[in-house]
Structures are given as structure tokens and as C-alpha cells.
Amino acid sequence: MYSDLTSELDSILGDLAPGRARRARDVERVDPTHREGARNLVDYASLRRHDLRDLQDRLLDVGVSPLVGCEDAVEAALRAARAALAALEGQRPSRFADRRTTAEARAAGDAALATHAEALLGAPRPGRSGRVMVTLPSSAADDPGLVLGLAERGMGLARINCAHDDPARWEAMIAGVRAAERAVGRRIPISMDLAGPKLRTGPVALGAPVGRARVTREPGGGVVEPARLWFTRDGIDPAGAPTPPPTRGRPPLCVRVDPRWLAARTPGDVIEVPDARRLRRRFTVVSVDAAGVLAEGDRNAWVRDGTLIDCDFERTRVRGIPAVPQRIRVHTGDRILLTVDMEPVDPPRSGAEIRLGCALPAVVEALTVGDRVLFDDGVISAEVIETATPGATDAPWVRLEVVRCREGGRWLGSEKGINVPGLEVDTPALTEEDCRSLRFASRHADLVAVSFVRTRRDVADAVEALAAAVSESGREVGLLLKIETRQAYRSLPDLLLEAMRHDRIGVMIARGDLAVEMGFESLSEVPRNITLMCQAARVPVVLATQVLESLAKTGIPSRAEISDAGSAQRSECVMLNKGPYVAEAIETLDAIHSRMGRIQRKALPLMRHVDSWD
């Protein structure tokens, strides 16, 4: 009656030994702390080469565990299922497994994952099942109070994106985190994300230096917050210019003016401001202090750098308004010439061919007719229709046709992401800039996240570079692999085994790039598979991209993202991006972690008593 089930389980158990033999050298190379996890990872990879769905249904039919939760200890779970079948057949189950051995194996796997997670990510807050990582905004360098507020709300880790700012500002952010650690009395590890090879659009030429002071309107059109101008004195370093006081509504437009004109201002003064659209606007001074002057108006104003403004027949020119970044309007059917020329381009006239640079020449060289090219997180999709003749003087270039774009068009600007699904290009994961950032991180941070790892060689380079950096700094620094490409997903067992040569490792699931690379529908499965594979390896996971994004940006969560945040609890850490309401997002995610920890352990649902159904 059970022979079909026993033979299938015996076959799967028999596959484990050959899999271990093939990977024996890889397992021996890992750090001792990962040795058992590496063996279990190899077993799990062997298991997942089988399609188990029908077997799981039939095991459930006879009351045997359908291998849910087997990731903690793969062989022990298989043997426990085999022992249960033996008992049903009237045989001695102890030939295959016993309860104590199975429980010890599962507990050991669970404990190893918890130990590795705490070493890399710090301890979770009491009563929580996971941690909250928060991306620090650039303003955190100037505002230690902002960092302290995030820590008080529940930030467990701070993330610094090395693609932005510079070492001086990173140091200021780090000082703020260390001060917040002391204030809240717990460790807050710092993760520094290396920028990685930038597959992005080239620069679009800057436009005129014009800034906008904007009112805030209610849905009916009435003004609920005025437009604001913040005046500071000219002649000081812009980096050290005083910041405007906190206000509601849209941020003030910051300008610099003659110090004598500024010193003469008093509350109630009316300032005449010519609008770049040949209109005139009036702003009334509402506050004056040593830092600057704040003025408010009830109409939007476009102000050009160098504009002559007037107050009681005293005139001065406004300075410090930067050039406006221009963008290109893209429509379905447009042609794009993608080149390796990184000189700034001017937006073309409507209907003309768009010219764009690509930051990685190897990608342009590798593209062929029919390849898909996606821009700006996949919102613009194009197809290669022509390539340059090899050896031509203007090569390399490719001509694209836009095949999908939002109705009415979409803006595309400088430094926007480019994805080429399925294209494998031999470019190193660590750039020279990354190596400099890594050395900085080894002296100041607790873990380093490596972007766009694709191959085993990429991970080996990262492990070796980190080992060299920490040997100089004398500090222990963890390594986080960002899985964000189809190639990395396919190579995940290899990447993990290579990374396990380092003692503190983790994986970040970058759902944004994965969705673009593999299709948005893949997000229903791929992150879950990565999490399960890492659980088998006893390697902690950080889930990233758009978690509670609406809440962080607008202060109001969508129902779908609350459910998404609940599912994210299966990872050891969840990353939030910056936003004006990120503190509220931290509190919400922390509460979800507290609640979900009582009813879910990784992929295993826990059935607590439901009071409502008494």
C-alpha cells in the first residue's frame, strides 16, 4: 500500500550521497562555522532537483509530514518521513530515524541560523522575530537627531548607500548611529552598500537654473500651505549654508542674497519676486533669525538664478539656484540610439530619434537584434532592431524601438537603470570605486553589501578583497550578497558555498532588479525559493525593495503592502527605504514582526489559539 511512497523516499535519500561527493571539496573549503550548513545546503540542492509536489500530496493523504519545514535538516526530515511510513507498514521506524535525533537535528539547524543572524545583523528586539534595516537619507549626516529618532522607533540596522554622498558624509552618518547606539543601549550594526558596476543611462544636459516655490493644495484646489522662500546670505560655502526651519507642506526654495539686503529684513516685509513665466509674485516675511529669513506666498513661483527681487525699493539678486536636470519624454514606437558616448545629450524635438549613453560599453557590444532592453525599473521596454557594423568608426551602438511604455509617454533622465534580461556580460562585480569604499567600510561599518554578484568568481573576488581590507583594519566585518539578477539566482548554491569561506555572511534579496530581470510575476516564487535555500544553508536573509513604500512616502499604507510585510517576516531582516514617514514605517513593521513571530516560524505556520472563534 505504501511501496510507491517508500521507493520514492528511498530514491531521494539515495541521491544525497552522490550530491555530497560532488561537492565535498566545496564543503571542505568553507569556514568551520558554516561546515554543517554547507552540507545541509548540498542536500537541499539535491532535494530540489526533484519535483516533489505529487509526493507531498500523497504523503499528506496517509498522514505523513509532506516535508514542509525540511530546510532546517534535510536528511533528518526525509528519514523522519521514511520512519513514519515504516511504522504504517508495521516495520521498525528506528531503522530510519527516531524522534530525539530528528528533534536535535532540526533544533541544531534552527540554532545555527539564529547564531549566524545575530553575529551578522545583531540581536532582534525582545519579542520580535526579525530586524528592521533602514536606509539613511543624506540629511542624516547633518542631523544626528534624525538617526536617534529612527533608533528609538525600532531601527535595528542602519544602511548607507555608497552610490551617494562621500566618505566625509558617511563618517558623519556613522557617528550619528554610534551616538544613537549609546542612547538606546543596544547595538545597531551599519551596512554599507557598494555601488557596483553602474548599468545606467548616460547624462542628459542640464537645463536653465530655475527653482520652484510651491503651494500645497487640498483636493478641491484650495491652498492649505503656502509657497516658501528661504533666504540666506551670499558668500558662504553652500555646503555650510543654514538649513530652513521645519515647516509643513512643500520644502522652501533656498536662495542666497546680499548680506546687507538680508540684514534689513523684518517680519511683515513684502518681497516682489519676478516669476520666470513673466509673472510677478509677492512673498511676505514671516520669520527672521541669525540663520536666515523665511517668506511665504499664496501662489507658485518659478524663480531663475540671478533674478532681481525688490523690497521697499531695495533690490538684490538671488543666487544659488542650480540648473534643472532635463529629462527626455519617451513614447511607444520611439527610436533610441544607445551608444557608449557618455557626453551629455540634449532632449530631442518631439518624434526625433533619442540618443542615450550607456555606462557599461560591454553591454552595448554584447547586444544583438531581438534582445530586450529595459529602462528605469522596467517601466520602458525596448527591443534591439539594429546594431553597428563590427569595426565601424562609430561602433559600438545599437538602435532600439520602444515596444512598451505608459500611455502618454514616460520621462527618462540621467542615471536611470538599464536591465538586459538574459544577457551575461563578463564585467567584474567590484569596481575600483567599490574597492575604495570597501576599505572605508572595513574601518567603520559592520557589514558590506556587494551589488550585482553574478558568478562564483564575483563572490571569490569579494571575499578576498574583504579579507585583505579587514586584515588591515583589524575589525570583523560581515559580507552581504545582493541577489538581483537571473544569473545570480540560477547560481545561488555556488555563490553561497563560495561566500561561506567568510565567517559572517548573508543574502539580500533585491526584489526590484529581480522583478525587472525575471518578470514581475516571478516575485510570487523567486524570493521564497531564495529564502528557503538560505535557510537550508543557515545563512540569514535581508528582504529589500518597496517594503511599506506607500507608508514611508505618504504616511498611509496600502492593504497589500501590510500583507507583504507580514510575509517578509520569514526573513531575518527587512529593509525599509528612506521617506518622510519612514519612522512610522519602522513602528508598523516592528509591530508586524511582533505579531507574526507568534504565528509563523520561517515557512511553517504556527496555529495559536484564536480567541475570536471560542
Side-chain angles (χ1 to χ4, degrees):
M1 179 178 179
Y2 306 106
S3 59
D4 59 329
L5 297 173
T6 58
S7 62
E8 285 185 55
L9 280 177
D10 287 341
S11 175
I12 293 169
L13 279 163
D15 283 347
L16 299 186
R20 291 172 182 173
R22 286 192 300 271
R23 292 288 198 173
R25 186 176 178 185
D26 290 332
V27 172
E28 287 304 312
R29 292 173 67 239
V30 307
D31 187 88
T33 190
H34 293 301
R35 192 68 44 77
E36 290 303 317
R39 292 192 181 103
N40 196 57
L41 166 63
V42 170
D43 286 349
Y44 189 69
S46 296
L47 177 69
R48 293 305 301 266
R49 291 190 180 95
H50 298 267
D51 188 336
L52 302 171
R53 290 173 293 181
D54 181 62
L55 174 62
Q56 287 178 298
D57 277 341
R58 288 183 287 125
L59 287 172
L60 200 58
D61 288 342
V62 297
V64 175
S65 168
L67 305 179
V68 174
C70 70
E71 290 77 17
D72 286 330
V74 174
E75 183 181 16
L78 288 168
R79 289 192 174 280
R82 184 64 181 85
L85 289 174
L88 289 173
E89 291 181 316
Q91 301 174 7
R92 284 189 302 108
S94 58
R95 290 173 51 205
F96 303 98
D98 63 76
R99 181 176 178 179
R100 181 181 60 81
T101 303
T102 301
E104 288 176 352
R106 291 183 63 242
D110 193 41
L113 176 56
T115 298
H116 294 157
E118 185 163 340
L120 182 74
L121 306 171
R125 298 181 72 199
R128 274 64 173 177
S129 57
R131 304 140 182 92
V132 181
M133 177 187 288
V134 181
T135 302
L136 296 182
S138 295
S139 57
D142 307 308
D143 188 357
L146 182 154
V147 181
L148 176 59
L150 299 178
E152 290 174 337
R153 297 289 187 100
M155 176 176 71
L157 295 93
R159 172 179 176 260
I160 296 173
N161 189 347
C162 294
H164 303 292
D165 302 306
D166 55 44
R169 294 188 68 77
W170 299 340
E171 282 198 55
M173 293 182 199
I174 290 166
V177 175
R178 298 309 183 204
E181 278 184 327
R182 294 189 291 272
V184 299
R186 57 182 169 84
R187 177 187 172 217
I188 302 177
I190 296 170
S191 174
M192 297 194 73
D193 267 31
L194 305 184
K198 297 181 177 67
L199 183 50
R200 297 187 179 277
T201 57
V204 179
L206 294 173
V210 178
R212 187 180 182 187
R214 301 177 65 187
V215 300
T216 303
R217 298 184 184 276
E218 63 180 356
V223 174
V224 293
E225 289 293 333
R228 295 182 175 94
L229 290 172
W230 171 245
F231 298 93
T232 57
R233 60 188 180 88
D234 201 6
I236 61 174
D237 181 0
T243 56
T247 57
R248 301 177 65 176
R250 302 185 186 278
L253 173 63
C254 300
V255 298
R256 301 195 302 272
V257 293
D258 179 80
R260 289 173 296 179
W261 184 93
L262 187 68
R265 302 285 65 81
T266 59
D269 283 354
V270 176
I271 303 171
E272 300 281 348
V273 180
D275 188 292
R277 299 166 296 175
R278 298 185 178 180
L279 303 170
R280 298 197 70 81
R281 296 289 186 248
R282 289 187 172 187
F283 284 77
T284 302
V285 175
V286 295
S287 70
V288 176
D289 59 29
V293 170
L294 185 68
E296 297 180 345
D298 60 1
R299 306 287 295 276
N300 290 338
W302 289 87
V303 185
R304 187 182 297 271
D305 194 63
T307 293
L308 193 66
I309 62 174
D310 179 278
C311 182
D312 290 335
F313 302 104
E314 294 181 45
R315 295 182 174 184
T316 187
R317 294 192 183 276
V318 298
R319 302 293 183 190
I321 299 176
V324 176
Q326 293 192 100
R327 297 177 296 173
I328 298 170
R329 194 70 175 177
V330 180
H331 300 81
T332 300
D334 282 351
R335 299 288 178 90
I336 299 175
L337 188 70
L338 192 65
T339 77
V340 299
D341 183 0
M342 292 297 285
E343 288 296 314
V345 297
D346 289 309
R349 67 181 186 277
S350 179
E353 184 171 74
I354 298 165
R355 185 182 180 92
L356 281 175
C358 175
L360 287 181
V363 170
V364 179
E365 293 169 356
L367 286 168
T368 59
V369 172
D371 284 343
R372 280 196 308 147
V373 181
L374 308 177
F375 296 92
D376 198 8
D377 289 336
V379 298
I380 298 171
S381 178
E383 185 175 300
V384 178
I385 59 173
E386 184 183 358
T387 63
T389 303
T393 56
D394 60 346
W397 55 260
V398 294
R399 181 165 280 112
L400 314 172
E401 181 175 339
V402 178
V403 296
R404 191 189 73 241
C405 186
R406 186 172 62 189
E407 186 176 354
R410 182 88 182 195
W411 289 111
L412 183 62
S414 306
E415 291 284 307
K416 292 300 181 181
I418 301 175
N419 292 84
V420 187
L423 185 69
E424 297 183 3
V425 180
D426 187 19
T427 56
L430 288 178
T431 65
E432 290 184 10
E433 178 186 344
D434 290 333
C435 291
R436 290 192 294 271
S437 299
L438 189 149
R439 288 191 290 272
F440 176 95
S442 72
R443 298 191 300 272
H444 300 281
D446 301 290
L447 55 154
V448 174
V450 183
S451 300
F452 293 105
V453 292
R454 301 176 304 279
T455 67
R456 191 161 191 158
R457 181 71 257 168
D458 290 339
V459 179
D461 289 345
V463 170
E464 290 161 11
L466 182 58
V470 298
S471 68
E472 294 178 7
S473 67
R475 300 176 67 252
E476 292 186 338
V477 179
L479 177 65
L480 204 57
L481 304 181
K482 294 179 70 174
I483 305 301
E484 44 198 332
T485 66
R486 183 191 303 267
Q487 192 176 357
Y489 175 63
R490 288 176 172 172
S491 306
L492 185 59
D494 285 336
L495 304 188
L496 287 171
L497 287 168
E498 190 65 41
M500 284 173 161
R501 292 166 49 207
H502 192 68
D503 60 342
R504 298 185 181 192
I505 66 163
V507 162
M508 177 180 282
I509 304 175
R511 298 189 298 178
D513 283 289
L514 274 175
V516 175
E517 285 266 332
M518 304 185 70
F520 283 85
E521 65 280 0
S522 70
L523 288 187
S524 61
E525 179 183 9
V526 169
R528 178 177 178 274
N529 286 344
I530 296 173
T531 301
L532 293 175
M533 178 71 76
C534 290
Q535 182 182 350
R538 295 150 192 188
V539 168
V541 166
V542 179
L543 186 73
T545 312
Q546 294 184 322
V547 179
L548 295 180
E549 183 173 19
S550 294
L551 175 56
K553 288 186 174 180
T554 69
I556 301 174
S558 71
R559 292 162 180 80
E561 69 183 14
I562 293 294
S563 297
D564 175 57
S567 298
Q569 180 270 343
R570 297 173 184 176
S571 59
E572 283 66 45
C573 181
V574 179
M575 191 191 91
L576 295 175
N577 264 323
K578 53 197 173 188
Y581 299 95
V582 69
E584 289 80 355
I586 294 171
E587 286 188 328
T588 300
L589 188 55
D590 187 58
I592 290 172
H593 274 156
S594 177
R595 187 181 191 90
M596 292 300 296
R598 301 193 296 269
I599 61 173
Q600 184 93 25
R601 190 186 71 82
K602 298 295 283 184
L604 183 67
L606 306 175
M607 293 190 289
R608 68 171 178 85
H609 171 222
V610 181
D611 298 337
S612 300
W613 296 344
D614 285 347

